[in-house]
Each structure stands twice: as C-alpha cells, then as structure tokens.
Amino acid sequence: MKKRLLVSVVDDDESVRESLPDLIREMGFNALAFNSAEAFLESGSVGRTKCLILDLKMPGMGGQALVSELKRLGIDTPVVFITANQSSAIREQLLDDGAVACLFKPFSDVELSDALLKAVCER
C-alpha cells in the first residue's frame, strides 16, 4: 500500500478547516487542519508535512510569519497560500518569495488540485 503524502491546512476559518481536508483526501493525500500557525508549529506534524496550505491573514502569527519561522528552523515545505485579499500585488509578492501558488478565496477544486500537484512534483 502506497503511503499518502501529508498536506496540512492552517486557517482560522472553521468552515475552511472542516471542508478543505475532505477535498484534499479525495485528491489522494492525507490531510490535517490547524486553527493557527502556533497550533501547527506545536503539533509534531511540521516535519511530516509535504505541502502547507496556509491562510495569509490570521490572528497571532500570520501566514508569512509562519513561513519565515519555518525557514529559520531550516524547514522548506512547499506553501500554497489562500487568501480573501484579491490583490494581484500581494499574489506576485508571495510567488516571488517562493510560494508555489496563491489562491484567492473562493477557489476551485481544479485550482487547488493543480497547486498541490505542482507543490509535490517540484520537490
């Protein structure tokens, strides 16, 4: 039996945490959801996560701060940002900083699938 790659979702929006993992599992991955960057860092799943789907704006540590902390720890997990902010400038900045993708909420299943496949295939 082939081991499924772990995708971790970090988003303060409960509806995202409830629905996105199910969709990710349907795409053939394992999925865990966390309500904050701090919860993810404390989870013990950081090293096992093969792709991080990360909300840009959250209370406490935001998405960009989490990526900075992971880099400080020497962890280079591919990141797909998700955000309600429809700014093309923000998207371009995140991509320039190394994100695999930046999806604007609401995004389609196809957009998410394409981003996940890009994240796991490029590593």
Side-chain angles (χ1 to χ4, degrees):
M1 184 173 190
K2 189 174 179 182
K3 188 171 180 174
R4 301 171 99 187
L5 300 177
L6 177 62
V7 175
S8 291
V9 176
V10 181
D11 198 311
D12 61 316
D13 184 332
E14 185 176 359
S15 64
V16 171
R17 290 192 315 274
E18 289 178 356
S19 62
L20 209 48
D22 290 337
L23 179 58
I24 292 166
R25 288 182 194 103
E26 288 177 18
M27 294 176 182
F29 298 93
N30 279 335
L32 292 175
F34 302 92
N35 65 358
S36 69
E38 295 86 356
F40 173 68
L41 288 170
E42 295 169 3
S43 71
S45 298
V46 174
R48 297 183 303 124
T49 297
K50 301 305 178 196
C51 181
L52 185 58
I53 298 177
L54 183 56
D55 191 12
L56 184 60
K57 297 266 186 194
M58 295 180 285
M61 182 184 286
Q64 288 175 296
L66 175 56
V67 170
S68 294
E69 178 62 11
L70 292 173
K71 286 181 181 177
R72 187 188 72 74
L73 296 170
I75 299 168
D76 188 28
T77 304
V79 175
V80 174
F81 278 102
I82 55 177
T83 182
N85 185 331
Q86 302 286 317
S87 168
S88 295
I90 288 175
R91 174 186 270 167
E92 289 306 313
Q93 182 63 53
L94 293 170
L95 296 174
D96 287 347
D97 289 345
V100 172
C102 177
L103 306 179
F104 294 145
K105 295 177 184 178
F107 47 85
S108 72
D109 297 0
V110 172
E111 288 174 301
L112 179 61
S113 177
D114 289 348
L116 280 173
L117 289 176
K118 183 177 179 185
V120 298
C121 290
E122 287 186 353
R123 300 292 170 162

